Amino acid sequence: MTFKSSVLFAFRLIFPRSAKKSSARRSIFGAILCIGISLVPLVLVMSFSEGMIDGMTERLIGLSSGELKAQLRSSAKAASSYQALYDYSKLLKEVDGVQDAFLQIECMALASGSSSRVGTLVRAVESDIFERNGDFASLLKVKKGSLTAFKNDSKSAIIGEKIADLLDLNPGDKIRLIFTRTLPNGSISPLMKTFTVAAVVSSGYQELDSMWIFIPIEKAFSILPKSSSAYSVMLDVKGGIKANLAQIKEECEKKSLGIARISLWQTLNRSRLENFSSTKVMLTFIMLLIVLVASVNISSALVMLVMERRKEIAILKSIGASSSGITISFLIAGLSCGFAGSLIGLPLGLLCAVNSNQIISALEHLVNFSAKFFYILSGSQLSAFQDIHLLNPDYYLTEIPINVPYSELFLIASAVLILSLLVSVIPAIKAGLERPLETFRKA
């Protein structure tokens, strides 16, 4: 029995010429459909997680750490004044590969509005950072107010959208920042400073929007307690994270002469990156298990097909077909099922992934409409109803950037074919071992 004959028999196993109803054939198409459906959430999860991780990482690097970050001791001479820190940043900008340097001071504080208080990280930055830094300009969107006041008024502040919601603040309102300082006798004393909200901004990632309040760095040197403040310089590197950061880091350390500790973005964000990666691996593993379960249906369908086609197998073997040829036919049939399932699932998954933001928005509207309907039926006041979010904006990006990992999808398609082949082995071998005499005797 030639390979061409095996392929032809495999084709006729799935698409027989007779119009006779076949439970095995229905099972095969059901197995194909199951594989296709199981691949849709897998593609969605991979595209979601890839885009979500990239979006969060981009904001962490661009808005928080930079590709490299020079961290100074508060007692260092370079941290004694704005001019000293600026002069130090000019040294780092001389390093080949460093595109720009941005000064900042960070200090924990208690932010107080008219009605409540919240813990926050005060970041003292240069007044032109929102225009000069490409990531600040592209990732931070002004929701209310204007950045102009921040540049012209040393007592102005820019706050995140989440903090503005928590404290019920708008541009023009006063915000009080309460710091702690250590007195010469060793006791701790509170220090309160009042700023005017110039603008409310959002990075699209509420976890960051709930953390930061920006104030002018020139003012910070005179008000922030030195003992509890962290002085640093964010470095913008040519080529971003794809540049040779290790070499640039080494050159920056030589320029620093021990003044500061230079850290890579991976080091500064290690815990978050590990959390992102472990979450992605776990979700992908769960989705792969679903695909594995769906692939087992091919084995069940082929077992039914062997039982239905015993007479055809017996006839072929009686006219000279080999056991290996019959086995190969059923292996090809199983492989074809996996291939057909991939052809259904991958394009459908990609279509859903590309339109995922619209799909989630539509589902949220449907869920909220249904919830409001039952809320009214129960006799409750609609004013007390809170909208339901399928993805909690406190932990996710407000808009999910979809990043399709084509190389990983190719690996998934290959894995589906291999699984389909593996689950087809036992029924295919049983088909090849069928004995024509016994089949004709039972007929």
Side-chain angles (χ1 to χ4, degrees):
M1 188 174 185
T2 64
F3 181 75
K4 185 178 179 181
S5 301
S6 297
V7 172
L8 181 61
F9 182 49
F11 181 78
R12 290 304 175 201
L13 286 173
I14 302 175
F15 302 105
R17 284 180 176 174
S18 65
K20 183 181 177 181
K21 291 183 179 180
S22 169
S23 299
R25 191 181 176 198
R26 287 197 296 269
S27 297
I28 285 177
F29 288 119
I32 292 173
L33 188 61
C34 286
I35 291 175
I37 293 173
S38 67
L39 283 174
V40 173
L42 178 58
V43 174
L44 277 171
V45 163
M46 296 193 69
S47 301
F48 257 57
S49 59
E50 195 75 18
M52 192 79 75
I53 290 172
D54 287 349
M56 292 177 178
T57 304
E58 181 185 20
R59 284 160 175 77
L60 289 171
I61 297 172
L63 302 177
S64 178
S65 64
E67 287 82 20
L68 292 172
K69 190 174 186 179
Q71 298 169 299
L72 294 88
R73 297 186 302 274
S74 59
S75 58
K77 186 178 180 181
S80 60
S81 66
Y82 171 76
Q83 189 60 46
L85 190 58
Y86 178 74
D87 291 340
Y88 170 68
S89 71
K90 287 192 349 184
L91 285 176
L92 296 178
K93 287 166 69 173
E94 294 174 1
V95 175
D96 186 31
V98 175
Q99 185 168 290
D100 209 343
F102 305 95
L103 320 181
Q104 73 170 358
I105 307 173
E106 297 172 309
C107 185
M108 296 301 299
L110 185 66
S112 176
S114 57
S115 57
S116 59
R117 295 177 179 180
V118 64
T120 184
L121 178 66
V122 175
R123 295 182 64 187
V125 296
E126 296 167 278
S127 57
D128 63 346
I129 191 173
F130 296 94
E131 299 170 357
R132 188 159 57 96
N133 186 304
D135 290 313
F136 273 69
S138 62
L139 297 176
L140 282 177
K141 307 298 182 185
V142 179
K143 295 296 184 178
K144 298 177 184 177
S146 171
L147 300 176
T148 306
F150 184 76
K151 297 173 66 175
N152 300 330
D153 186 1
S154 63
K155 291 187 177 181
S156 65
I158 294 176
I159 64 177
E161 186 177 30
K162 183 66 174 178
I163 290 180
D165 292 339
L166 291 172
L167 301 182
D168 193 21
L169 292 173
N170 291 293
D173 293 343
K174 300 294 182 181
I175 182 171
R176 293 180 296 276
L177 300 178
I178 304 170
F179 307 96
T180 57
R181 57 179 175 176
T182 304
L183 300 177
N185 61 6
S187 60
I188 296 176
S189 171
L191 173 65
M192 186 175 73
K193 295 294 179 180
T194 302
F195 289 83
T196 303
V197 177
V200 176
V201 298
S202 174
S203 66
Y205 185 18
Q206 287 198 15
E207 187 174 344
L208 298 183
D209 294 345
S210 65
M211 287 173 54
W212 298 333
I213 292 179
F214 300 95
I215 64 173
I217 194 168
E218 295 87 346
K219 180 72 173 177
F221 273 96
S222 61
I223 65 169
L224 292 184
K226 199 172 184 65
S227 59
S228 57
S229 298
Y231 299 79
S232 61
V233 179
M234 286 173 53
L235 300 180
D236 188 9
V237 176
K238 296 175 184 177
I241 60 175
K242 295 181 180 178
N244 189 351
L245 297 180
Q247 183 178 348
I248 299 172
K249 174 179 179 287
E250 186 177 342
E251 293 297 321
C252 289
E253 287 174 341
K254 290 178 182 178
K255 282 282 185 182
S256 295
L257 298 174
I259 295 174
R261 183 177 73 253
I262 312 296
S263 301
L264 295 168
W265 67 271
Q266 297 99 321
T267 304
L268 296 169
N269 301 295
R270 179 172 296 167
S271 60
R272 289 177 182 267
L273 294 175
E274 289 178 352
N275 184 36
F276 293 160
S277 298
S278 60
T279 302
K280 178 185 175 182
V281 169
M282 184 59 66
L283 286 173
T284 304
F285 177 70
I286 293 171
M287 294 299 109
L288 282 173
L289 287 179
I290 296 174
V291 176
L292 176 61
V293 172
S295 300
V296 174
N297 289 330
I298 295 177
S299 181
S300 302
L302 289 181
V303 169
M304 293 181 66
L305 193 62
V306 171
M307 294 173 65
E308 280 192 359
R309 298 302 181 91
R310 276 182 174 174
K311 189 176 292 186
E312 287 91 335
I313 295 170
I315 293 171
L316 286 173
K317 294 192 78 173
S318 65
I319 61 175
S322 63
S323 296
S324 60
I326 300 296
T327 299
I328 290 173
S329 295
F330 279 87
L331 287 176
I332 292 172
L335 192 64
S336 300
C337 291
F339 182 73
S342 299
L343 284 182
I344 295 172
L346 293 179
L348 188 59
L350 288 172
L351 182 65
C352 293
V354 171
N355 298 285
S356 57
N357 285 298
Q358 293 85 344
I359 293 173
I360 291 174
S361 178
L363 287 175
E364 282 188 348
H365 280 98
L366 180 62
V367 169
N368 281 298
F369 176 80
S370 303
K372 286 179 181 178
F373 178 74
F374 288 110
Y375 209 72
I376 294 171
L377 287 181
S378 65
S380 303
Q381 292 292 329
L382 190 60
S383 57
F385 178 80
Q386 293 184 345
D387 285 343
I388 300 169
H389 296 284
L390 298 181
L391 293 177
N392 192 331
D394 288 344
Y395 305 104
Y396 299 99
L397 300 178
T398 53
E399 185 172 346
I400 302 168
I402 300 302
N403 186 358
V404 180
Y406 291 103
S407 58
E408 294 181 14
L409 292 182
F410 175 77
L411 291 175
I412 288 172
S414 302
V416 169
L417 294 179
I418 293 171
L419 281 173
S420 301
L421 193 61
L422 290 176
V423 298
S424 304
V425 169
I426 294 176
I429 292 175
K430 286 185 176 180
L433 295 177
E434 285 288 332
R435 297 178 180 179
L437 290 177
E438 291 185 5
T439 302
F440 289 139
R441 193 178 295 119
K442 293 178 181 177

